[in-house]
Structure formats: structure tokens, C-alpha cells
Amino acid sequence: EYELCEEWGHLYPVPREDLINLHREHLLHLLEMGDMEKALQLLERIEDPGICLAISEQSLDQHPNLAASHFLADYLTAHFYTSLTTARRNEIQALCIGSKVLLTLPELSRVNYFHLSSRPLLMLEQLLMNMKVDWVAVAVQTLHQLLAGQEIGFTVEDIDSLLSKYAEKALNFPFTLKEKRS
């Protein structure tokens, strides 16, 4: 009965923290149900930008499902970009990019890498370590497209360096060649 609680909040004074908690739980519920349209409407109904920012950030910190994380990261970037600290902005953008990379993976495998969605470079490294070369190729292509002109704490050069490191390790042989003796 989130709507009833929201109406009650309009009629009687509700402490700020309780209001944030109510809206956060309502937002997470809508996102879990996959109703992005109602979630967006809920955020637009909130008049105080400070409360809206707090709700969005707290919801994102709850680590909801992939679609919800992507929705919240996009919303925060679109509406509160200048209100966020540089570190938080980089973190949210990394999550947004990581979730897009995650969407390039086969659906059944996404759950194995979801915990790395806020760390795209680490996700790429994990894919390399798991010998998922085809997936890495698609992920790298996606990252190159998404990183064009953005600052999120890592660059295309960091990706290339990671790939070079693992390519070198793949060519490293653990044994020495014996000389032929006559």
C-alpha cells in the first residue's frame, strides 16, 4: 500500500528519513516488478531534489537486479550529474557501463558476473581468466564504444594493457626447450 502511505505523507508531516525510506522501498518494489514507467513517475512526483537524489542513491546501493541497476545509474547520471562527487560519478558511470557489458553476455551466464557489474575492468579480467575469449571480444568492442569521450576511472589504454598482459601470459611456456645433443 505504498500509494496510501504516500497520500498520508501529503496530509500529515512525516519525518524526512521515513519519507526517504518509504519512497526507496516503493521504488525498489516497482523496479523488482519491472515497471520502469511507474518507477520513473514515482521519481518525478517527488518535489524535493535532495530527497529524490537520496532515494535514487540508496536504491542503487541496495544492489538491485541488472535492469534496476541500469535504470538507476542512467537516472542519476541524467538528473543529478552535477550534484554527485567525482568519485561517485565515476562509480555510477562504471556501473552503467558494466551493466551494458553484462547485457552482451549470454543470459544464463550473467548471474555469474553480476557482482562485477560496477567494475567492468575486473569483469573483463574474469572473462579472460575463464577463457571466454568470444565473450571478451564482444565486451571489448562494447567498452570501446561506451568509453568514447567519457571519464570513469579507466580508459581504453587500460583495457589494451589488460589484454596485452593476458596475451603475454598465454604465450608464456612453463618449460624450457632441451638442446639436441649428438
Side-chain angles (χ1 to χ4, degrees):
E1 297 298 326
Y2 293 112
E3 284 88 8
L4 178 62
C5 292
E6 190 176 337
E7 285 179 35
W8 185 267
H10 290 296
L11 298 173
Y12 298 97
V14 176
R16 178 181 163 92
E17 280 306 308
D18 291 340
L19 196 59
I20 289 172
N21 290 337
L22 165 70
H23 287 305
R24 184 189 66 235
E25 292 303 317
H26 188 192
L27 180 63
L28 287 170
H29 171 74
L30 291 171
L31 292 172
E32 274 181 34
M33 302 304 288
D35 198 344
M36 305 304 176
E37 186 64 35
K38 281 191 178 177
L40 185 59
Q41 289 171 2
L42 169 66
L43 290 170
E44 288 173 349
R45 276 196 312 267
I46 299 168
E47 295 171 6
D48 184 344
I51 290 177
C52 192
L53 174 61
I55 292 164
S56 302
E57 279 195 288
Q58 288 178 18
S59 297
L60 186 63
D61 291 340
Q62 295 280 324
H63 304 291
N65 63 36
L66 178 61
S69 294
H70 189 69
F71 171 85
L72 290 166
D74 270 347
Y75 184 83
L76 282 165
T77 302
H79 293 87
F80 297 106
Y81 189 80
T82 55
S83 303
L84 302 168
T85 65
T86 304
R88 183 67 169 162
R89 195 178 309 143
N90 288 346
E91 180 185 327
I92 290 170
Q93 285 181 321
L95 176 67
C96 192
I97 287 175
S99 64
K100 287 179 183 176
V101 169
L102 202 55
L103 289 171
T104 66
L105 301 180
E107 193 171 342
L108 296 175
S109 301
R110 290 177 191 160
V111 69
N112 298 329
Y113 299 96
F114 178 73
H115 65 285
L116 299 172
S117 59
S118 63
R119 303 189 57 202
L121 269 182
L122 194 56
M123 184 188 315
L124 190 62
E125 188 168 6
Q126 188 69 47
L127 289 168
L128 285 167
M129 290 170 61
N130 291 340
M131 306 291 275
K132 304 295 185 189
V133 180
D134 294 339
W135 298 357
V136 169
V138 175
V140 167
Q141 183 180 9
T142 302
L143 283 170
H144 278 272
Q145 291 170 356
L146 295 172
L147 286 177
Q150 287 197 30
E151 289 183 32
I152 62 164
F154 67 92
T155 62
V156 172
E157 289 77 24
D158 294 327
I159 294 169
D160 293 342
S161 173
L162 181 69
L163 293 173
S164 297
K165 176 181 150 186
Y166 278 89
E168 183 181 315
K169 287 183 181 214
L171 296 174
N172 189 10
F173 297 105
F175 59 89
T176 59
L177 297 173
K178 293 185 180 180
E179 291 182 25
K180 289 184 179 178
R181 296 186 182 211
S182 56

